[in-house]
Amino acid sequence: MTLSIAPLAPEDIDALCVLARTVWRHHYPPIIGTAQTEYMLAQRYDPDVIRSELAHSGIWWDTLREEDSIVAFASSFPVESGDALKLDKLYVHPTRQRLGYGGVLIEHVCERAARLKYPKVLLAVNKRNETAIAAYRKHGFEVAEAVVKEIGGGFVMDDFIMQKSVAADAPQAYSRAS
Ligand SMILES: CC(C)(COP(=O)(O)OP(=O)(O)OC[C@H]1O[C@@H](n2cnc3c(N)ncnc32)[C@H](O)[C@@H]1OP(=O)(O)O)[C@@H](O)C(=O)NCCC(=O)NCCS
C-alpha cells in the first residue's frame, strides 16, 4: 500500500469533513460531551469554513493518504508572534490510529517549521485527552502551560499547550508550497 502526504485540494474538502466527523464522534464525547463535540464540529468542519480557510488564509492543510483515500490530516500556521508554527489540527481515522500516521504528519509539520526557521512547533490539547497527550510526548512534545479559552455556546477549551523545539533562526514568510 502506498502512503503519501498531499496538500488538501478543494475537491477533498467534503471527504476531510466526513473524516473529521468520524474521528470526533468516536473520540471526543467521553472527553468534552456530545453537545460540545457537535458544537465544535459545526464551528470548524463546515465545508464552507474550510473552503474559505483554504482560499484566504496562511494555513497549511496536509492530508495523509492510503492510495487515494484520506485517512489522516493536519493543519498548521505561524503564530502571531512569529516565533512558532502551531500544529492546529491532527486527526487520524479511528481504524488507523497507533500505526505511526500521526507521527508521520507531526514530522512533516516539524520539518516545515525547521525549513522555514521557526524555532518550535506548539499545539493545544485537551487536558483529558490522555491518548493524544501520550502521542505528543512520544513524538517529542512537552507541556509548556495550561490555558482555558471560551469558544462560545457556553463551552470552554481546557487545554495544555505543548511544544517541541525544532530550529533556532528567524522565520521566513508563509508560502503555500512549503
Ligand atoms: C492523537 C493522534 C493524532 C495520534 O496519531 P496516531 O497515528 O494514533 O499516533 P502514532 O501512531 O504516531 O503514535 C502512537 C502513540 O500515540 C499514543 N496513542 C494513540 N492512540 C492511542 C490509544 N488508543 N491508546 C493509547 N495510546 C494511544 C500512544 O502514545 C502511542 O504510542 P504506543 O503505541 O507506543 O503506545 C490520533 O490517535 C488521533 O487522531 N486521536 C483522536 C483525535 C485526537 O485526539 N487528536 C489530537 C487533537 S489535539
Side-chain angles (χ1 to χ4, degrees), residues 16-36:
L16 181 134
C17 290
V18 169
L19 173 58
R21 278 169 172 68
T22 302
V23 181
W24 276 63
R25 287 174 179 155
H26 181 266
H27 188 73
Y28 279 116
I31 298 175
I32 56 175
T34 301
Q36 184 165 349

Side-chain angles (χ1 to χ4, degrees), residues 77-96:
F77 57 80
V79 298
E80 227 167 87
S81 59
D83 65 350
L85 281 197
K86 182 173 184 189
L87 176 57
D88 191 48
K89 296 180 169 71
L90 179 64
Y91 297 101
V92 179
H93 190 284
T95 64
R96 299 295 190 276

Side-chain angles (χ1 to χ4, degrees), residues 27-28 90 92 97-100 102-103 129 131 134-136 138-139:
H27 188 73
Y28 279 116
L90 179 64
V92 179
Q97 291 174 9
R98 235 173 168 177
L99 297 175
N129 191 352
T131 54
Y136 291 133
K138 176 174 179 169
H139 295 298

